Amino acid sequence: MSAHASPIHHSEAPKGWIRHYIFSFDHKIIGTQYILLGLSAVTIGLILSLIFRTHLVWPDAHIWGFANGIVSPEDYLRLITMHGTLMVFFVLTTVPQSGFGNYFLPIQIGAPDMAFPTLNMLSFWTTLLALLVLLSSAFVPGGSAIGGWTAYAPLSAVGQIAGPGQGLGETLWVVSIALFCGGSLMSAINFLGTTIDLRTKGLSLMRMPLTVWGWFITACLALLAFGVLLAACILLLLDRLAQTSFFIPGNLDVSGVVLHHSGGSPLLWQHLFWFFGHPEVYIAILPAMGIISHVLSTFSRKPVFGYKAMVYSLTAIGFLSFAVWGHHMFISGMNPYSALAFSIITLVIGVPSAIKTFNWLGTLWGGKIHFTTAMLFAIGFVSLFVTGGLSGIFLAQPALDLYLHATYYVIGHFHLIMGVAAIFAMFAATYYWFPKMFGRMMNEGLGKLHFWITFIGVYCIFMPMHYLGYAGDARRYSSIESVNYMIPLHPVHFFITISAFVTAGAQLIFYFNFFWSMGHGKPAERNPWHATTLEWAVSTPVPHDNFAGDYPVIYRGPYEYSVPGAADDYIPQHLAPEQVAKAG
Amino acid sequence: MLSRKSSTGSAAPAVLFVIVLLLLVGSTLYFHIAKTWWFPPSITPVGNQIDQQFFITFVLTGIVFVLAQVALAWMIFRYRDHGQKAKFVRGNHALEVIWTTITLVIFVGLGIMAARAWGEVHFGGPAPGALEVEVTGVQFQWNFRYPGPDGKFGRIVTKDIDASVGNPLGLDPNDPEAKLNPVSPDLYLPVNRPIELMLRSQDVIHSFFVRELRIKQDAVPGLVIPIHFEIDKTGDYEITCNQLCGLGHYHMHAMLHVMSQADFDQWEKKQWASLESGQ
Amino acid sequence: MPPHVTVTDELEILGAHGGAKPPAGSGGGGGDDSRSSGSSGAFPQRIYVTGITIAMGAIFMFFMALVSAFIVRKGLGGDWFPFTMPRILWLDTAILLASSGTLIHARRLFKRGDRQGFRHWWAVTTLLGLLFLIGQLVAWRQMVAAGFYLASNASNSFFYVLTAAHGLHLLGGIAALLFVGWGRLRKMTLATGTEIVSYYWHFLDGLWVFLFLLLLLGR
């Protein structure tokens, strides 16, 4: 039997530009749409961050688009709220998982598409709608929300009286996040269903590329976490619009208005939010871990060191991530004994992360390292992950968190480990898979220039933030001039802002390289990196249903590089044993 | 066999990596040892304990940081493609077990050690005879309320809150005890005496932070959260808000004046006297 | 050896093996090919069962978040005032339980090949579902008539939130019943359609019993 030859329901590519590129059911188009959505969001988020960094250092700088050209304190809070929301939800959650995952998971497991193409399209359009709702909040009376991306109640719950932007702006924020939850849940169902049921013949779980493992575990987390955030958003909306008292306690006097709520609990919002929020951190970083393992192995020309340990540690992180949310709440007034329990579990979750780092180093050890741009970003990721991970050891101890909580130390920590590390994985993924996605190579010289400025730049931005934290500099301050001990920190802020501009400038190289290479890059071979997994077995551009009806069969694990006795230093997963050329 | 651009395996990126990673390690070590931007000295015994724990954590993570970054730099340099064949290794079970165990022991050990300082702050109550002060956060200011001469706090009524008539906390005008509760925009405390602060908020969540105390605690509306400590150095320290509370968050600021018991008694008497004369 | 062996080559070689599992120690899991390969001409039908199971997991977590909020909020004490449970909810519960029974019967008839009987009982199930929803609306009217509004007290708020969230999910269930019973399934077989709708329906039924007990005992 020509095994998997099956006439798939839509083996014909849809006709018409709109069906093909806009309302597409094809996972590759949807993946690309997600990536472009993320690219738009990251661009806006980056520009916003440059504006608030500028404001911190030059408070009187005239900036186009603001009243009188000046960024007011509420504008500053709008900027950081929008920056955080865009980056966490629409970039870190969206691109590594829904973007690259959508594009490559079906190909890597030998499937024609996602299990539920219509649902896939729906989840993209829901996410896009969520983004538009969020952005629209900038244009309503009162402007967008100033409550931070964590939207702590009651600041987020009592409405306009808590500050400008806390009226309609905050409502739109909540609606946007609720929509985003819906889109992510649909997407998670698709990822799980696809991985469970559509793997091709011979692709056992322990032969899946680590990218697929990353996406799979992430989908499990998303499935369990976003439902909780959705529930929390609904309760928050009711508090805001229907005068209920889920999160608003009694006897509040906000801006001279006595509120008629009673008995609600601000901590309840924090518990629900962080029950989602901590898995969310891993939703952002697990796909990145998969991508990095994949790229490191390819360009070290070695199997991933400790493949099974990698899989088990991914799974362990997934499980534990649901039991550590309290470490965001050490100073919230929660029970001090449960704080200790959360602290210990948080330190324990550091163990599988450390295991991954050791195994990445093990993968490099004894390798034959090719410094492609993708590889540079992967190595950069490991360095960032080590740095950002170690600062987490401080924050995991409640006694130390007492001092560091809500200072720039925390900003430095999570930007390195969650923000920049995940962005590095996205860059690695882009440089690595671009030839498959667009049939052309990206320019390696520009890529390397982009890497070096970015790598040095992010360290220059985020390392000094740790020092600001030691000095007690509080985050979310639109000016450091009101606190005497913060005023001497001005030169550090100045250095950070300058570094931010240089680093952001380097991203222009990336934009240019990305769009220019689409049309003018060197044409790519089918398998330019001499890699082993299935995406490199299909032709470029990838046919509409990936394998044109003939599904490959998998004979071995995903990272068979430099196998002794073989002629080539890589053996693709789908090559039958008798086809593997012997050395000599 | 593969025609590969020489640059992919050349020494240049490897050397650059080594330089950048060494610079990272060097500058990080420098700023931690030179303490260019650093914690102010602690003014409580618990603060000293916390600093001790900080020190242990700095040393441990510092060692790991240096080892990991240097190992990374070394491997990149040592195993750059210079025509060698890659080792075919799938992993090493013994190594996995060893490094898992070691990290588990170090991490959990740190956590258990840190528990002591945490317990000092949060388990158990204040020592007897502690001075109780009520701390109330409101957009965007702190108010500190002291007990009357009889050591009691009077009633507070939300609808009586009106800062414009000098009653920012809503002290009940019908409660004689409330009338003798001094309310101050700055915090005055005696040195070497157990203190208990009762944190509350009138509107949204605020967070009480004094660097020198090494204590940060949210003031949550609907809750009264106690924190306790004993200060062993007089001086003036800054109190800031550390939980986003609205557009004036950045200037929600107050001073902590730590004075001798005698000075404090005098200050307190003056407050009571002015309240009584105000009747 | 050429750098790129085409995929079709391998499949021919595979054919020589008579479709056996690939050699090289296939470790289970991957592609239970008895169902995934060839025959049905579309995605294997089991993906729909997998999909609905996963979706139910997400819905379960959503409700568990609401339920834990309920428990925590009630535990705060102070301002929690119980409401009078609308009597019609007992009847509603009975209706929903009955609908699960008729659904089981409909599927049994379907498996026997009795299409007419299947459609008949499928319709009865759909009607019972609609009846349940109407009953829920009546329950809301009874709450309002008794002065228990959405924002009156947290206990009331939770009553409305939980019943509304469940009702919306049940409305989806009714849509699925209608679609499978009278719509045109494209990729899904009718057997799969009835199977997954019944799983979802029984799940919502069980969820309702749980929520009803929670509200009854916890209000």
Side-chain angles (χ1 to χ4, degrees):
Chain A
M1 87 192 202
S2 179
H4 291 39
S6 54
I8 291 305
H9 53 283
H10 55 82
S11 57
E12 288 286 308
K15 293 175 183 66
W17 191 83
I18 290 195
R19 285 301 302 276
H20 191 92
Y21 288 109
I22 306 296
F23 295 104
S24 174
F25 295 106
D26 182 346
H27 70 100
K28 296 183 289 295
I29 300 291
I30 295 173
T32 313
Q33 288 172 330
Y34 266 117
I35 290 171
L36 292 178
L37 180 147
L39 195 64
S40 319
V42 82
T43 310
I44 301 171
L46 185 70
I47 293 171
L48 299 184
S49 71
L50 291 178
I51 297 175
F52 66 69
R53 283 308 316 176
T54 306
H55 171 75
L56 268 181
V57 179
W58 297 287
D60 302 324
H62 272 249
I63 293 166
W64 179 83
F66 291 87
N68 306 321
I70 297 293
V71 175
S72 64
E74 57 269 33
D75 286 334
Y76 181 86
L77 296 178
R78 288 191 181 106
L79 289 168
I80 59 162
T81 302
M82 190 63 93
H83 168 83
T85 311
L86 282 173
M87 292 303 200
V88 171
F89 291 98
F90 295 94
V91 180
L92 297 178
T93 308
T94 301
V95 177
Q97 178 79 4
S98 309
F100 289 108
N102 237 319
Y103 203 113
F104 286 103
L105 179 125
I107 308 182
Q108 286 191 332
I109 63 171
D113 201 326
M114 281 292 195
F116 312 107
T118 318
L119 195 67
N120 204 13
M121 180 180 81
L122 203 58
S123 57
F124 170 75
W125 287 98
T126 310
T127 310
L128 180 66
L129 180 64
L131 178 62
L132 294 177
V133 169
L134 179 71
L135 295 177
S136 73
S137 72
F139 305 99
V140 299
S144 60
I146 64 168
W149 82 275
T150 50
Y152 272 17
L155 182 62
S156 60
V158 295
Q160 188 78 48
I161 47 172
Q166 293 309 89
L168 187 52
E170 183 73 53
T171 302
L172 288 174
W173 185 94
V174 184
V175 170
S176 163
I177 298 307
L179 284 170
F180 187 88
C181 291
S184 299
L185 285 172
M186 290 188 264
S187 174
I189 292 169
N190 232 329
F191 273 75
L192 292 175
T194 308
T195 315
I196 292 170
D197 282 338
L198 295 187
R199 277 172 291 133
T200 192
K201 207 169 185 178
L203 187 61
S204 63
L205 289 176
M206 281 302 174
R207 285 178 175 180
M208 295 199 307
L210 286 170
T211 42
V212 176
W213 269 108
W215 292 319
F216 180 68
I217 304 282
T218 302
C220 294
L221 299 189
L223 188 82
L224 301 178
F226 277 106
V228 175
L229 183 62
L230 180 60
C233 283
I234 289 172
L235 299 185
L236 184 58
L237 268 184
L238 288 173
D239 269 6
R240 295 180 54 80
L241 304 176
Q243 305 305 312
T244 55
S245 306
F246 294 108
F247 306 124
I248 308 177
N251 294 320
L252 287 199
D253 178 298
V254 185
S255 309
V257 180
V258 177
L259 299 181
H260 297 286
H261 293 267
S262 81
S265 164
L267 294 192
L268 179 57
W269 166 264
Q270 293 183 30
H271 279 293
L272 291 172
F273 183 85
W274 289 117
F275 185 85
F276 147 80
H278 205 78
E280 162 62 29
V281 171
Y282 291 99
I283 288 170
I285 206 67
L286 291 186
M289 289 172 163
I291 290 165
I292 294 306
S293 308
H294 199 74
V295 172
L296 280 179
S297 172
T298 305
F299 296 114
S300 299
R301 314 307 296 165
K302 273 189 66 198
V304 165
F305 195 88
Y307 173 89
K308 281 193 173 159
M310 288 298 220
V311 172
Y312 297 145
S313 55
L314 273 179
T315 317
I317 290 172
F319 271 112
L320 288 171
S321 72
F322 283 101
V324 297
W325 79 90
H327 70 221
H328 296 272
M329 299 171 60
F330 287 152
I331 67 156
S332 69
M334 75 190 296
N335 182 321
Y337 294 94
S338 46
L340 272 191
F342 278 121
S343 158
I344 299 292
I345 304 170
T346 303
L347 288 160
V348 170
I349 206 175
V351 174
S353 305
I355 293 174
K356 301 201 84 71
T357 311
F358 286 127
N359 282 309
W360 287 324
L361 292 176
T363 306
L364 290 170
W365 174 76
K368 177 185 167 74
I369 301 175
H370 296 303
F371 293 110
T372 58
T373 307
M375 182 61 164
L376 293 182
F377 275 104
I379 295 171
F381 174 97
V382 176
S383 171
L384 292 164
F385 192 77
V386 168
T387 313
L390 288 172
S391 55
I393 305 286
F394 290 81
L395 298 171
Q397 304 175 39
L400 308 191
D401 182 65
L402 278 186
Y403 186 91
L404 298 172
H405 195 99
T407 65
Y408 271 88
Y409 189 93
V410 177
I411 311 257
H413 162 71
F414 77 72
H415 273 86
L416 283 183
I417 192 121
M418 177 191 180
V420 180
I423 296 260
F424 266 47
M426 289 178 223
F427 281 137
T430 308
Y431 286 102
Y432 181 78
W433 278 318
F434 191 91
K436 187 52 69 183
M437 295 171 77
F438 300 104
R440 289 175 185 275
M441 308 296 287
M442 284 179 83
N443 184 299
E444 282 284 307
L446 288 178
K448 281 171 184 157
L449 185 65
H450 170 226
F451 168 76
W452 284 110
I453 303 179
T454 308
F455 184 54
I456 298 169
V458 293
Y459 265 128
C460 287
I461 296 170
F462 296 111
M463 276 315 274
M465 289 195 182
H466 295 85
Y467 310 141
L468 291 176
Y470 298 153
D473 195 357
R475 67 189 286 201
R476 293 171 166 172
Y477 270 32
S478 60
S479 158
I480 57 170
E481 307 296 329
S482 324
V483 181
N484 293 325
Y485 67 73
M486 293 182 189
I487 293 170
L489 302 173
H490 198 274
V492 186
H493 278 294
F494 181 80
F495 179 78
I496 291 173
T497 300
I498 297 297
S499 307
F501 271 99
V502 174
T503 313
Q507 307 318 306
L508 295 176
I509 305 173
F510 173 76
Y511 288 108
F512 173 77
N513 198 351
F514 187 77
F515 290 108
W516 184 83
S517 300
M518 273 186 198
H520 305 276
K522 202 175 69 162
E525 324 161 23
R526 176 193 294 229
N527 185 1
W529 314 122
H530 293 195
T532 48
T533 41
L534 281 181
E535 74 269 32
W536 306 108
V538 295
S539 55
T540 306
V542 184
H544 174 70
D545 53 4
N546 298 344
F547 297 93
D550 286 334
Y551 292 97
V553 175
I554 299 301
Y555 292 90
R556 59 186 65 77
Y559 302 112
E560 297 295 285
Y561 291 101
S562 303
V563 180
D568 291 333
D569 71 344
Y570 67 107
I571 308 178
Q573 280 192 285
H574 64 282
L575 217 54
E578 54 275 23
Q579 287 177 299
V580 176
K582 303 281 187 295
Chain B
M1 108 204 140
L2 309 176
S3 66
R4 193 168 286 285
K5 268 197 290 175
S6 61
S7 68
T8 56
S10 80
V15 172
L16 253 171
F17 254 122
V18 172
I19 295 172
V20 172
L21 290 179
L22 289 184
L23 272 177
L24 169 70
V25 169
S27 68
T28 307
L29 284 181
Y30 172 79
F31 287 122
H32 281 82
I33 292 168
K35 303 187 175 171
T36 321
W37 301 284
W38 206 246
F39 306 73
S42 145
I43 55 169
T44 66
V46 178
N48 297 340
Q49 263 191 49
I50 291 176
D51 285 0
Q52 185 66 26
Q53 181 66 21
F54 258 114
F55 181 75
I56 297 168
T57 313
F58 271 125
V59 170
L60 273 175
T61 52
I63 293 171
V64 177
F65 175 73
V66 173
L67 286 181
Q69 301 286 3
V70 170
L72 183 62
W74 178 77
M75 283 194 201
I76 295 162
F77 186 76
R78 169 71 180 76
Y79 297 110
R80 71 190 190 279
D81 179 5
H82 45 77
Q84 83 276 31
K85 203 166 168 21
K87 291 191 176 77
F88 183 75
V89 195
R90 290 185 190 280
N92 185 320
H93 188 68
L95 267 180
E96 301 283 353
V97 173
I98 291 169
W99 60 46
T100 306
T101 318
I102 292 178
T103 36
L104 192 67
V105 168
I106 293 180
F107 286 6
V108 175
L110 265 178
I112 291 169
M113 283 194 314
R116 238 183 70 231
W118 176 252
E120 293 276 340
V121 182
H122 278 286
F123 304 161
L131 169 70
E132 224 179 282
V133 181
E134 183 196 73
V135 182
T136 306
V138 60
Q139 287 179 330
F140 300 97
Q141 134 168 23
W142 294 105
N143 288 305
F144 303 95
R145 178 160 72 120
Y146 291 79
D150 56 353
K152 288 188 177 149
F153 287 97
R155 227 185 358 254
I156 276 181
V157 183
T158 309
K159 69 173 175 49
D160 289 328
I161 295 176
D162 192 348
S164 63
V165 300
N167 191 4
L169 292 179
L171 298 175
D172 186 352
N174 304 320
D175 182 353
E177 267 162 4
K179 279 182 189 152
L180 289 178
N181 288 163
V183 176
S184 157
D186 285 323
L187 179 58
Y188 296 83
L189 292 177
V191 74
N192 293 328
R193 176 167 168 200
I195 309 287
E196 178 163 44
L197 300 184
M198 313 298 292
L199 264 55
R200 11 180 339 267
S201 165
Q202 271 173 14
D203 40 34
V204 301
I205 300 180
H206 303 276
S207 192
F208 175 88
F209 178 46
V210 178
R211 295 188 304 160
E212 291 80 358
L213 292 177
R214 304 283 189 270
I215 284 182
K216 188 175 290 157
Q217 177 60 55
D218 281 1
V220 182
L223 298 179
V224 178
I225 301 171
I227 51 175
H228 56 88
F229 49 83
E230 188 174 330
I231 302 174
D232 51 22
K233 276 190 202 76
T234 58
D236 298 335
Y237 311 99
E238 294 185 275
I239 301 166
T240 57
C241 176
N242 270 244
Q243 193 66 265
L244 178 57
C245 60
L247 65 96
H249 174 51
Y250 70 102
H251 63 64
M252 184 161 165
H253 178 261
M255 291 304 291
L256 162 63
H257 304 288
V258 183
M259 43 181 72
S260 69
Q261 182 69 47
D263 288 350
F264 178 77
D265 289 344
Q266 212 176 2
W267 176 83
E268 209 175 26
K269 282 211 183 77
K270 217 174 82 189
Q271 301 294 315
W272 289 329
S274 78
L275 283 175
E276 270 167 19
S277 66
Q279 285 176 2
Chain C
M1 186 191 110
H4 307 300
V5 177
T6 59
V7 174
T8 37
D9 285 346
E10 288 158 44
L11 290 175
E12 279 161 21
I13 288 165
L14 180 81
H17 285 275
K21 280 211 159 194
S26 75
D32 176 3
D33 17 30
S34 59
R35 280 191 292 173
S36 69
S37 62
S39 56
S40 67
F43 281 159
Q45 290 291 308
R46 70 172 186 276
I47 64 172
Y48 300 108
V49 179
T50 311
I52 199 70
T53 311
I54 298 165
M56 289 190 296
I59 295 168
F60 180 77
M61 276 309 280
F62 171 77
F63 277 95
M64 282 310 105
L66 291 176
V67 167
S68 50
F70 177 97
I71 293 166
V72 169
R73 183 66 179 75
K74 180 172 196 280
L76 294 173
D79 74 324
W80 186 278
F81 305 114
F83 54 87
T84 328
M85 201 67 157
R87 306 257 308 269
I88 193 168
L89 286 183
W90 291 95
L91 180 63
D92 258 3
T93 309
I95 290 174
L96 199 58
L97 285 174
S99 76
S100 267
T102 57
L103 186 60
I104 291 170
H105 189 60
R107 280 197 70 209
R108 199 178 295 140
L109 295 176
F110 176 82
K111 281 183 193 150
R112 265 191 231 145
D114 178 358
R115 285 302 166 95
Q116 186 133 26
F118 157 72
R119 283 205 196 287
H120 176 73
W121 286 102
W122 196 259
V124 172
T125 310
T126 316
L127 282 177
L128 286 175
L130 280 171
L131 210 55
F132 171 84
L133 279 186
I134 294 167
Q136 295 294 78
L137 288 176
V138 173
W140 279 18
R141 293 309 306 164
Q142 288 185 356
M143 286 284 284
V144 169
F148 300 114
Y149 300 103
L150 171 62
S152 312
N153 186 264
S155 67
N156 309 352
S157 310
F158 274 109
F159 174 84
Y160 286 102
V161 168
L162 289 171
T163 50
H166 178 265
L168 282 175
H169 283 89
L170 199 98
L171 199 60
I174 289 174
L177 278 168
L178 288 171
F179 191 74
V180 169
W182 294 275
R184 283 183 50 226
L185 297 172
R186 281 166 59 236
K187 293 177 249 166
M188 200 189 295
T189 62
L190 190 54
T192 312
T194 56
E195 186 183 356
I196 67 169
V197 170
S198 78
Y199 291 160
Y200 183 63
W201 195 262
H202 296 319
F203 166 72
L204 287 180
D205 195 349
L207 183 65
W208 169 251
V209 173
F210 171 73
L211 294 177
F212 182 56
L213 288 176
L214 179 84
L215 289 169
L216 193 64
L217 304 174
R219 77 200 139 99

